[in-house]
C-alpha cells in the first residue's frame, strides 16, 4: 500500500471515529425520533432517546425512592429496614450536611425536598448513562439476529442514534439550573420580601458611582450561577464518555494505519485503561450529583443569608 493510500485510509477511519464518538454522546436527531409527533406552534415534540431516558429515570426514581418513602410514612410506627435504611442515610446526609448548614434550620424543611430531588434525579440519570444498554442491544441485533445496521425501520437500530446519558445534554442541565435560578429568587423573596431581595444584591451605604459599576456586575453574577451549573454537569458527563470512546478507538486507528495485529495488540492497552476510566466514571457519577446539589444549596442559601 502506498503512503498516499495509507494516509487516505487512515484519514477516513479518523473521520469515522470522530463521527461515532459525537454520535454516541449526543441525543438522537429529530430525523430519527423514537416517536414522531407533528409540530405544535413550530416546535417539534417528537420523542428522542433523551426524552425516553428522562421518562425512564423518572419511573426509576419513583419506584426506588418516592413509593418506598410514601409506604414507609403510612406506617404507624415507621422503622426503616433494608432499602429504607439506605434512603434514610442519604436523606439525612443531604439534609444535615448540605441543606441545613447553607440555608439555616428555619428553611431546611422548605427547600430540602427540592435539593433531594436534584440529587436523586442526577444520581440515577448519571448512573444509567454508564450502562451501555443500547450498545448491547445493537450488538445482539447485528451479530445474533443478523439485522443490518442500515435497516432504519428496525426499532433497535433507531435506538442506536445518540447516547443515553441525559445529564450530558445541555438542555437537560439547563432545565435543572433554571429551577435553581428561580428557586434563588423565590427563596430570597420569601426570606426578605421581593423588593428587599433585589436590594440585597449590592451592599448598602456605598457611593452612587460605585453602584453604577456594581449593579451590572451583580446581575451578571446572578446569571453566571445557572450557567456554571449547566456547563459543569453536562461537560463532565460528556467528557468522560468521549475519553472512554477515544481510548477504545485506538484499536481501529492503529489497525488502519499499521496492521491488524498491531490494532489487536492495542487492545491490551486500551481495554484496561478504558476499564480504569469506567471506574473513575462511577466516582464522577456520585461527585457530580453531590456538586450540583451542594452548589444549588449554596446559591439558595446566599439569597437567604445575605452577607456582603
Amino acid at each position: 500500500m502506498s503512503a498516499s493510500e495509507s494516509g487516505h485510509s487512515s484519514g477516513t477511519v479518523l473521520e469515522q471515529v470522530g463521527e461515532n464518538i459525537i454520535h454516541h454522546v449526543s441525543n438522537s436527531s429529530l430525523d430519527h425520533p423514537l416517536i414522531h409527533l407533528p409540530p405544535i406552534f413550530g416546535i417539534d415534540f417528537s420523542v428522542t432517546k433523551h426524552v425516553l431516558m428522562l421518562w425512564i429515570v423518572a419511573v426509576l426514581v419513583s419506584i426506588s425512592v418516592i413509593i418506598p418513602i410514601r409506604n414507609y410514612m403510612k406506617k404507624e410506627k415507621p422503622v426503616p429496614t433494608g432499602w429504607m435504611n439506605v434512603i434514610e442515610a442519604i436523606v439525612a446526609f443531604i439534609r444535615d450536611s448540605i441543606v441545613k448548614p447553607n440555608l439555616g434550620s428555619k428553611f431546611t424543611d422548605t427547600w430540602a425536598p427540592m435539593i433531594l430531588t436534584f440529587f436523586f434525579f442526577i444520581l440515577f440519570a448519571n448512573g444509567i448513562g454508564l450502562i451501555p444498554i443500547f450498545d448491547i442491544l445493537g450488538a445482539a441485533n447485528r451479530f445474533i439476529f443478523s439485522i443490518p445496521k442500515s435497516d432504519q425501520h428496525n426499532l433497535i437500530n433507531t435506538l442506536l442514534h445518540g447516547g443515553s446519558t441525559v445529564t450530558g445534554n445541555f438542555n437537560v442541565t439547563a432545565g435543572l439550573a433554571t429551577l435553581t435560578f428561580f428557586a434563588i429568587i423565590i427563596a430570597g423573596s420569601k426570606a426578605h420580601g421581593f423588593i428587599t431581595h433585589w436590594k440585597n444584591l449590592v451592599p448598602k451605604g456605598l457611593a452612587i458611582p460605585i453602584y453604577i459599576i456594581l449593579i451590572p456586575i451583580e446581575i451578571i453574577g446572578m446569571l453566571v450561577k445557572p450557567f456554571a451549573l449547566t456547563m459543569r454537569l453536562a461537560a463532565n458527563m460528556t467528557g468522560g464518555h468521549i475519553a472512554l470512546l477515544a481510548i477504545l478507538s485506538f484499536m481501529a486507528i492503529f489497525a488502519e494505519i499499521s496492521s491488524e495485529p498491531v490494532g489487536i495488540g492495542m487492545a491490551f492497552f486500551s481495554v484496561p485503561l478504558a476499564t480504569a476510566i469506567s471506574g473513575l466514571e462511577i466516582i464522577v457519577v456520585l461527585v457530580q450529583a453531590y456538586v450540583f446539589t451542594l452548589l444549588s444549596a449554596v446559591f439558595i442559601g446566599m439569597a437567604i443569608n445575605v452577607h456582603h
Side-chain angles (χ1 to χ4, degrees), residues 60-181:
L60 289 177
V61 172
S62 298
I63 294 172
S64 303
V65 180
I66 299 174
I67 294 175
I69 289 177
R70 285 183 177 275
N71 293 334
Y72 172 75
M73 295 304 294
K74 288 178 181 177
K75 297 178 181 179
E76 292 184 6
K77 295 181 180 179
V79 177
T81 57
W83 176 242
M84 274 306 304
N85 275 320
V86 177
I87 296 176
E88 186 182 49
I90 295 172
V91 169
F93 173 77
I94 298 296
R95 182 194 63 201
D96 298 336
S97 300
I98 295 179
V99 181
K100 188 178 288 185
N102 289 290
L103 277 72
S105 301
K106 182 179 178 181
F107 295 95
T108 295
D109 291 339
T110 303
W111 294 103
M114 177 182 172
I115 301 298
L116 284 163
T117 302
F118 279 157
F119 180 80
F120 283 114
F121 174 83
I122 295 171
L123 182 65
F124 275 72
N126 290 353
I128 292 173
L130 289 181
I131 304 172
I133 301 170
F134 301 117
D135 300 288
I136 294 171
L137 290 175
N141 208 35
R142 186 173 179 184
F143 297 110
I144 297 176
F145 301 106
S146 301
I147 297 175
K149 190 177 180 181
S150 58
D151 183 3
Q152 297 303 319
H153 297 289
N154 181 266
L155 177 61
I156 301 300
N157 284 340
T158 304
L159 287 170
L160 295 177
H161 291 277
S164 60
T165 308
V166 294
T167 42
N169 188 320
F170 289 95
N171 295 310
V172 174
T173 56
L176 295 172
T178 301
L179 292 176
T180 299
F181 175 76

